[in-house]
Amino acid sequence: DGGITQSPKYLFRKEGQNVTLSCEQNLNHDAMYWYRQDPGQGLRLIYYSQIVNDFQKGDIAEGYSVSREKKESFPLTVTSAQKNPTAFYLCASSRQYSEAFFGQGTRLTVV
Amino acid sequence: AQSVSQHNHHVILSEAASLELGCNYSYGGTVNLFWYVQYPGQHLQLLLKYFSGDPLVKGIKGFEAEFIKSKFSFNLRKPSVQWSDTAEYFCAVNEGTDKLIFGTGTRLQVFP
């Protein structure tokens, strides 16, 4: 089936550790996105990529890093510099300027 | 900076009541507009979208939205809500780039 796969669904991290969230799409979309969803704050854009080997910071990029080495993949690393990493992370992809399709999300908890 | 405002944070309705959720955006150029819905425990899915043409757009499940350029608004409406419409609703805008910005969301509760 075509779609966006995020893994893992739940992730626990110790303070001070980096962790990488996976996002893969087989929709042949050029654009991919990472959002963070917190209660009452909606979806806030972390990073987005319009094309392979290129990406731009969103509104809350501090403490996060991404790569876009392949069209299908857009992994997000939550670094130890992110002060409040516990959240629900959503990955999405889209054709150019079109509607985004979302994955099921990864819930990250720092313990 | 581009922003999207949803003024209704939590709306409570009885079944068969009419619904209107507000959405305003700040960007003054050409925009593409979207409403997404997130049902409890499910992933975000598209309700409807506006790119150009007729400013009144119809989406799934009886929802519609009207783009009013002069008011920078894209309000979502449904004439008669159902219990199954209980969900969180998000307005989103892209400004002709691929930077897609979301509002803070409106939580809708519908009671039978």
Side-chain angles (χ1 to χ4, degrees), chain A:
Chain A
D1 286 349
I4 300 170
T5 302
Q6 289 187 243
S7 60
K9 190 172 181 180
Y10 299 97
L11 187 57
F12 295 88
R13 188 195 95 176
K14 291 183 179 179
E15 280 193 38
Q17 288 182 336
N18 293 355
V19 63
T20 298
L21 283 59
S22 170
C23 179
E24 303 277 333
Q25 56 102 355
N26 60 5
L27 300 169
N28 200 32
H29 287 165
D30 286 312
M32 295 189 74
Y33 312 81
W34 274 105
Y35 293 90
R36 171 179 170 143
Q37 186 176 14
D38 296 284
Q41 299 193 58
L43 277 70
R44 293 182 290 165
L45 183 62
I46 304 172
Y47 271 96
Y48 66 107
S49 168
Q50 295 172 284
I51 198 168
V52 175
N53 292 322
D54 188 40
F55 48 83
Q56 286 79 41
K57 292 182 180 180
D59 299 321
I60 56 164
E62 185 176 351
Y64 300 97
S65 66
V66 293
S67 62
R68 187 86 188 277
E69 296 176 1
K70 298 186 299 182
K71 189 175 187 177
E72 308 81 43
S73 178
F74 192 41
L76 173 74
T77 297
V78 184
T79 75
S80 56
Q82 169 48 236
K83 296 177 182 176
N84 185 22
T86 294
F88 189 55
Y89 291 88
L90 285 166
C91 179
S93 71
S94 73
R95 291 192 186 91
Q96 193 178 41
Y97 312 147
S98 190
E99 69 265 30
F101 294 82
F102 284 82
Q104 295 278 10
T106 293
R107 187 165 298 281
L108 173 65
T109 303
V110 174
V111 296

Side-chain angles (χ1 to χ4, degrees), chain A residues 33 35 37 42-43 97 99-100, chain B residues 32 36 38 49 96 98 100 104:
Chain A
Y33 312 81
Y35 293 90
Q37 186 176 14
L43 277 70
Y97 312 147
E99 69 265 30
Chain B
N32 298 325
Y36 285 85
Q38 189 174 36
K49 61 186 178 185
D98 278 317
L100 183 61
T104 53

Side-chain angles (χ1 to χ4, degrees), chain A residues 45 48 57-60, chain B residues 1-5 24-29 31 72 93-95 97 99-103:
Chain A
L45 183 62
Y48 66 107
K57 292 182 180 180
D59 299 321
I60 56 164
Chain B
Q2 182 189 43
S3 66
V4 180
S5 298
N24 289 89
Y25 61 93
S26 62
Y27 185 67
V31 292
F72 299 91
V93 176
N94 78 27
E95 58 185 22
T97 69
K99 186 176 183 182
L100 183 61
I101 301 297
F102 282 78

Side-chain angles (χ1 to χ4, degrees), chain B residues 36-90:
Chain B
Y36 285 85
V37 61
Q38 189 174 36
Y39 297 104
Q42 296 188 28
H43 64 281
L44 271 154
Q45 50 189 286
L46 183 72
L47 265 181
L48 47 80
K49 61 186 178 185
Y50 173 80
F51 290 167
S52 64
D54 188 344
L56 184 62
V57 292
K58 295 191 184 298
I60 61 172
K61 305 187 179 186
F63 286 91
E64 64 179 32
E66 185 175 13
F67 171 52
I68 303 179
K69 189 174 181 180
S70 61
K71 294 185 177 180
F72 299 91
S73 71
F74 190 55
N75 292 355
L76 181 72
R77 300 195 292 247
K78 186 171 184 178
S80 177
V81 294
Q82 301 173 321
W83 176 79
S84 58
D85 293 324
T86 294
E88 193 155 14
Y89 293 81
F90 295 93

